[in-house]
Amino acid sequence: MNAASTHEDDRRLADALGAAEASTRLKAALAIGTRPGDGFADVLVARCAVEPDFFVRDMLTWALTRLPREVTVPRLVAELTSERAQARSQALHTLSKIGDAGAWPAVTVALLRDGDDEVARAAWRAAVVLVPDGGRAALAAELGTQLGRGDREVQLSLSRSLAALGEIVEPVLRAAAAHPDARVRAHAAATERLLRDPDSAFEPDLNAARRVDALGREREERLRADR
């Protein structure tokens, strides 16, 4: 196959990433990953930011992991400041799959607290993969500020990230157990169960946390009445 023919094939593959049919886009991403070339990096990263299909996005990430890190990582890091939430979340997801510790400084507090739940979840997962040993305690403390956030799936993502850090999260969970917000306490308790038993069911017991609140109020009222 001559250079002109190869270039034409590459152009067709790149164009196919924007095809109307998800199956066509999936096949194109698979083909690119099967015979990766540095010239596909930009189009793969750009497509990650807008691709609506989960399976195609997953294949795009796989294709990017097949390229040299020195080619992909700078491009993915640049996406972390994008105004498009999906660009940020997919870049974080792909960085977590590549696992290049050099990307760690780019996982900022702003991303860990991102207002978009999918971005924040991707940031939590990436942070746990990329954090150096000396930064694990600080990361645990930062992730602890997000306890009580979101619905069950968001909370499960955070709990899994915290549990992946191991015993270093225990002081964070103990502090959260005394938090005035019942949601935070319930989430912390569920995370501690997950830390102790990774196979346990994840069910933050908000009602139990609220009962603790009610008992505390009753105790305070009795003490005031006895004075």
Side-chain angles (χ1 to χ4, degrees):
M1 184 179 293
N2 59 40
S5 178
T6 299
H7 178 75
E8 181 62 22
D9 286 346
D10 288 352
R11 186 187 65 77
R12 280 198 292 268
L13 280 176
D15 289 345
L17 289 177
E21 294 295 327
S23 59
T24 301
R25 303 195 301 274
L26 184 68
K27 289 176 183 177
L30 174 61
I32 291 171
T34 302
R35 56 178 187 86
D38 295 1
F40 286 113
D42 286 331
V43 68
L44 287 170
V45 171
R47 187 64 203 175
C48 281
V50 298
E51 173 56 50
D53 186 273
F54 170 82
F55 296 103
V56 178
R57 290 199 303 272
D58 208 40
M59 191 64 75
L60 292 169
T61 286
W62 174 77
L64 282 164
T65 66
R66 302 268 293 159
L67 298 178
R69 295 182 179 193
E70 61 270 21
V71 173
T72 55
V73 170
R75 288 170 168 81
L76 293 167
V77 167
E79 289 290 280
L80 299 184
T81 57
S82 171
E83 293 184 359
R84 188 185 293 270
Q86 184 172 304
R88 302 195 301 277
S89 64
Q90 282 301 119
L92 286 160
H93 174 65
T94 307
L95 286 169
S96 74
K97 295 299 183 182
I98 293 171
D100 189 331
W104 163 246
V107 185
T108 62
V109 169
L111 289 168
L112 295 171
R113 300 184 182 188
D114 200 284
D116 185 282
D117 285 341
E118 291 307 309
V119 176
R121 292 172 72 185
W124 301 335
R125 291 189 293 264
V128 168
V129 171
L130 302 176
V131 64
D133 288 342
R136 292 168 69 84
L139 175 59
E142 176 55 41
L143 293 182
T145 69
Q146 300 302 292
L147 286 165
R149 170 177 174 167
D151 60 16
R152 182 184 181 280
E153 291 306 309
V154 172
Q155 292 193 7
L156 178 57
S157 289
L158 181 61
S159 293
R160 284 174 172 166
S161 295
L162 282 163
L165 292 172
E167 293 182 356
I168 203 166
V169 307
E170 290 179 353
V172 174
L173 297 179
R174 283 197 298 270
H179 197 280
D181 188 330
R183 283 177 58 85
V184 173
R185 295 200 306 277
H187 192 182
T191 303
E192 186 169 12
R193 289 193 295 272
L194 194 65
L195 178 64
R196 301 300 177 205
D197 180 8
D199 295 325
S200 64
F202 179 82
E203 294 299 337
D205 193 342
L206 186 57
N207 288 331
R210 285 173 173 161
R211 285 195 295 272
V212 171
D213 278 344
L215 289 171
R217 286 194 298 270
E218 289 175 7
R219 187 178 300 111
E220 288 178 4
E221 289 171 0
R222 285 198 300 269
L223 287 171
R224 282 197 297 269
D226 291 341
R227 286 173 185 167

PDB file of all heavy atoms in Angstrom, residues 85-103:
ATOM      1  N   ALA A  85     -18.516  19.913  29.523  1.00  0.00           N
ATOM      2  CA  ALA A  85     -18.375  18.952  30.616  1.00  0.00           C
ATOM      3  C   ALA A  85     -17.920  17.585  30.112  1.00  0.00           C
ATOM      4  O   ALA A  85     -17.073  16.930  30.729  1.00  0.00           O
ATOM      5  CB  ALA A  85     -19.687  18.828  31.381  1.00  0.00           C
ATOM      6  N   GLN A  86     -18.472  17.139  28.999  1.00  0.00           N
ATOM      7  CA  GLN A  86     -18.097  15.817  28.499  1.00  0.00           C
ATOM      8  C   GLN A  86     -16.627  15.767  28.104  1.00  0.00           C
ATOM      9  O   GLN A  86     -15.973  14.731  28.274  1.00  0.00           O
ATOM     10  CB  GLN A  86     -18.970  15.406  27.313  1.00  0.00           C
ATOM     11  CG  GLN A  86     -18.669  13.991  26.823  1.00  0.00           C
ATOM     12  CD  GLN A  86     -19.645  13.502  25.796  1.00  0.00           C
ATOM     13  OE1 GLN A  86     -20.852  13.477  26.036  1.00  0.00           O
ATOM     14  NE2 GLN A  86     -19.142  13.099  24.628  1.00  0.00           N
ATOM     15  N   ALA A  87     -16.100  16.863  27.600  1.00  0.00           N
ATOM     16  CA  ALA A  87     -14.674  16.895  27.257  1.00  0.00           C
ATOM     17  C   ALA A  87     -13.831  16.680  28.502  1.00  0.00           C
ATOM     18  O   ALA A  87     -12.844  15.924  28.494  1.00  0.00           O
ATOM     19  CB  ALA A  87     -14.320  18.232  26.592  1.00  0.00           C
ATOM     20  N   ARG A  88     -14.231  17.329  29.595  1.00  0.00           N
ATOM     21  CA  ARG A  88     -13.484  17.173  30.842  1.00  0.00           C
ATOM     22  C   ARG A  88     -13.605  15.752  31.388  1.00  0.00           C
ATOM     23  O   ARG A  88     -12.610  15.137  31.773  1.00  0.00           O
ATOM     24  CB  ARG A  88     -13.970  18.191  31.893  1.00  0.00           C
ATOM     25  CG  ARG A  88     -13.858  19.634  31.468  1.00  0.00           C
ATOM     26  CD  ARG A  88     -13.997  20.613  32.610  1.00  0.00           C
ATOM     27  NE  ARG A  88     -15.250  20.530  33.346  1.00  0.00           N
ATOM     28  CZ  ARG A  88     -16.388  21.111  32.989  1.00  0.00           C
ATOM     29  NH1 ARG A  88     -16.439  21.812  31.859  1.00  0.00           N
ATOM     30  NH2 ARG A  88     -17.483  21.020  33.742  1.00  0.00           N
ATOM     31  N   SER A  89     -14.824  15.231  31.416  1.00  0.00           N
ATOM     32  CA  SER A  89     -15.028  13.912  32.024  1.00  0.00           C
ATOM     33  C   SER A  89     -14.350  12.814  31.207  1.00  0.00           C
ATOM     34  O   SER A  89     -13.724  11.904  31.770  1.00  0.00           O
ATOM     35  CB  SER A  89     -16.526  13.617  32.182  1.00  0.00           C
ATOM     36  OG  SER A  89     -17.176  13.537  30.933  1.00  0.00           O
ATOM     37  N   GLN A  90     -14.424  12.891  29.890  1.00  0.00           N
ATOM     38  CA  GLN A  90     -13.796  11.856  29.074  1.00  0.00           C
ATOM     39  C   GLN A  90     -12.272  11.944  29.122  1.00  0.00           C
ATOM     40  O   GLN A  90     -11.591  10.921  29.112  1.00  0.00           O
ATOM     41  CB  GLN A  90     -14.281  11.959  27.630  1.00  0.00           C
ATOM     42  CG  GLN A  90     -15.654  11.378  27.406  1.00  0.00           C
ATOM     43  CD  GLN A  90     -15.728   9.899  27.779  1.00  0.00           C
ATOM     44  OE1 GLN A  90     -16.490   9.507  28.664  1.00  0.00           O
ATOM     45  NE2 GLN A  90     -14.933   9.069  27.124  1.00  0.00           N
ATOM     46  N   ALA A  91     -11.757  13.159  29.195  1.00  0.00           N
ATOM     47  CA  ALA A  91     -10.301  13.310  29.317  1.00  0.00           C
ATOM     48  C   ALA A  91      -9.817  12.716  30.637  1.00  0.00           C
ATOM     49  O   ALA A  91      -8.802  12.004  30.688  1.00  0.00           O
ATOM     50  CB  ALA A  91      -9.915  14.774  29.214  1.00  0.00           C
ATOM     51  N   LEU A  92     -10.544  12.967  31.707  1.00  0.00           N
ATOM     52  CA  LEU A  92     -10.191  12.403  33.008  1.00  0.00           C
ATOM     53  C   LEU A  92     -10.280  10.880  32.979  1.00  0.00           C
ATOM     54  O   LEU A  92      -9.393  10.180  33.501  1.00  0.00           O
ATOM     55  CB  LEU A  92     -11.115  12.958  34.092  1.00  0.00           C
ATOM     56  CG  LEU A  92     -10.845  14.409  34.505  1.00  0.00           C
ATOM     57  CD1 LEU A  92     -12.076  15.006  35.182  1.00  0.00           C
ATOM     58  CD2 LEU A  92      -9.631  14.487  35.428  1.00  0.00           C
ATOM     59  N   HIS A  93     -11.336  10.377  32.390  1.00  0.00           N
ATOM     60  CA  HIS A  93     -11.514   8.927  32.290  1.00  0.00           C
ATOM     61  C   HIS A  93     -10.348   8.297  31.526  1.00  0.00           C
ATOM     62  O   HIS A  93      -9.783   7.272  31.955  1.00  0.00           O
ATOM     63  CB  HIS A  93     -12.835   8.620  31.592  1.00  0.00           C
ATOM     64  CG  HIS A  93     -13.052   7.169  31.300  1.00  0.00           C
ATOM     65  ND1 HIS A  93     -13.190   6.231  32.290  1.00  0.00           N
ATOM     66  CD2 HIS A  93     -13.124   6.490  30.118  1.00  0.00           C
ATOM     67  CE1 HIS A  93     -13.349   5.023  31.738  1.00  0.00           C
ATOM     68  NE2 HIS A  93     -13.309   5.156  30.431  1.00  0.00           N
ATOM     69  N   THR A  94      -9.963   8.914  30.423  1.00  0.00           N
ATOM     70  CA  THR A  94      -8.880   8.361  29.613  1.00  0.00           C
ATOM     71  C   THR A  94      -7.546   8.466  30.334  1.00  0.00           C
ATOM     72  O   THR A  94      -6.728   7.543  30.278  1.00  0.00           O
ATOM     73  CB  THR A  94      -8.821   9.077  28.244  1.00  0.00           C
ATOM     74  OG1 THR A  94     -10.120   9.033  27.636  1.00  0.00           O
ATOM     75  CG2 THR A  94      -7.824   8.403  27.318  1.00  0.00           C
ATOM     76  N   LEU A  95      -7.327   9.556  31.033  1.00  0.00           N
ATOM     77  CA  LEU A  95      -6.093   9.693  31.817  1.00  0.00           C
ATOM     78  C   LEU A  95      -6.016   8.620  32.898  1.00  0.00           C
ATOM     79  O   LEU A  95      -4.928   8.093  33.181  1.00  0.00           O
ATOM     80  CB  LEU A  95      -6.021  11.085  32.449  1.00  0.00           C
ATOM     81  CG  LEU A  95      -5.686  12.235  31.489  1.00  0.00           C
ATOM     82  CD1 LEU A  95      -5.909  13.579  32.179  1.00  0.00           C
ATOM     83  CD2 LEU A  95      -4.245  12.126  30.987  1.00  0.00           C
ATOM     84  N   SER A  96      -7.145   8.273  33.482  1.00  0.00           N
ATOM     85  CA  SER A  96      -7.133   7.220  34.503  1.00  0.00           C
ATOM     86  C   SER A  96      -6.784   5.877  33.884  1.00  0.00           C
ATOM     87  O   SER A  96      -6.155   5.033  34.535  1.00  0.00           O
ATOM     88  CB  SER A  96      -8.487   7.148  35.217  1.00  0.00           C
ATOM     89  OG  SER A  96      -9.481   6.565  34.402  1.00  0.00           O
ATOM     90  N   LYS A  97      -7.168   5.649  32.638  1.00  0.00           N
ATOM     91  CA  LYS A  97      -6.850   4.400  31.955  1.00  0.00           C
ATOM     92  C   LYS A  97      -5.380   4.363  31.534  1.00  0.00           C
ATOM     93  O   LYS A  97      -4.745   3.304  31.557  1.00  0.00           O
ATOM     94  CB  LYS A  97      -7.749   4.219  30.728  1.00  0.00           C
ATOM     95  CG  LYS A  97      -9.226   4.049  31.046  1.00  0.00           C
ATOM     96  CD  LYS A  97      -9.470   2.822  31.899  1.00  0.00           C
ATOM     97  CE  LYS A  97     -10.958   2.603  32.152  1.00  0.00           C
ATOM     98  NZ  LYS A  97     -11.199   1.425  33.023  1.00  0.00           N
ATOM     99  N   ILE A  98      -4.846   5.507  31.142  1.00  0.00           N
ATOM    100  CA  ILE A  98      -3.432   5.565  30.741  1.00  0.00           C
ATOM    101  C   ILE A  98      -2.536   5.430  31.970  1.00  0.00           C
ATOM    102  O   ILE A  98      -1.501   4.767  31.947  1.00  0.00           O
ATOM    103  CB  ILE A  98      -3.148   6.875  29.989  1.00  0.00           C
ATOM    104  CG1 ILE A  98      -3.900   6.883  28.651  1.00  0.00           C
ATOM    105  CG2 ILE A  98      -1.647   7.066  29.757  1.00  0.00           C
ATOM    106  CD1 ILE A  98      -3.853   8.214  27.923  1.00  0.00           C
ATOM    107  N   GLY A  99      -2.941   6.074  33.071  1.00  0.00           N
ATOM    108  CA  GLY A  99      -2.220   5.928  34.325  1.00  0.00           C
ATOM    109  C   GLY A  99      -0.877   6.612  34.384  1.00  0.00           C
ATOM    110  O   GLY A  99       0.002   6.181  35.139  1.00  0.00           O
ATOM    111  N   ASP A 100      -0.692   7.677  33.634  1.00  0.00           N
ATOM    112  CA  ASP A 100       0.571   8.425  33.651  1.00  0.00           C
ATOM    113  C   ASP A 100       0.574   9.379  34.844  1.00  0.00           C
ATOM    114  O   ASP A 100      -0.172  10.356  34.870  1.00  0.00           O
ATOM    115  CB  ASP A 100       0.725   9.204  32.346  1.00  0.00           C
ATOM    116  CG  ASP A 100       2.099   9.833  32.198  1.00  0.00           C
ATOM    117  OD1 ASP A 100       2.730  10.165  33.234  1.00  0.00           O
ATOM    118  OD2 ASP A 100       2.565  10.004  31.056  1.00  0.00           O
ATOM    119  N   ALA A 101       1.425   9.111  35.830  1.00  0.00           N
ATOM    120  CA  ALA A 101       1.458   9.920  37.050  1.00  0.00           C
ATOM    121  C   ALA A 101       1.823  11.371  36.764  1.00  0.00           C
ATOM    122  O   ALA A 101       1.530  12.255  37.573  1.00  0.00           O
ATOM    123  CB  ALA A 101       2.446   9.324  38.046  1.00  0.00           C
ATOM    124  N   GLY A 102       2.430  11.647  35.636  1.00  0.00           N
ATOM    125  CA  GLY A 102       2.778  13.019  35.283  1.00  0.00           C
ATOM    126  C   GLY A 102       1.565  13.905  35.097  1.00  0.00           C
ATOM    127  O   GLY A 102       1.684  15.136  35.135  1.00  0.00           O
ATOM    128  N   ALA A 103       0.387  13.304  34.922  1.00  0.00           N
ATOM    129  CA  ALA A 103      -0.847  14.079  34.752  1.00  0.00           C
ATOM    130  C   ALA A 103      -1.462  14.476  36.083  1.00  0.00           C
ATOM    131  O   ALA A 103      -2.430  15.244  36.107  1.00  0.00           O
ATOM    132  CB  ALA A 103      -1.858  13.281  33.930  1.00  0.00           C
TER     133      ALA A 103
END
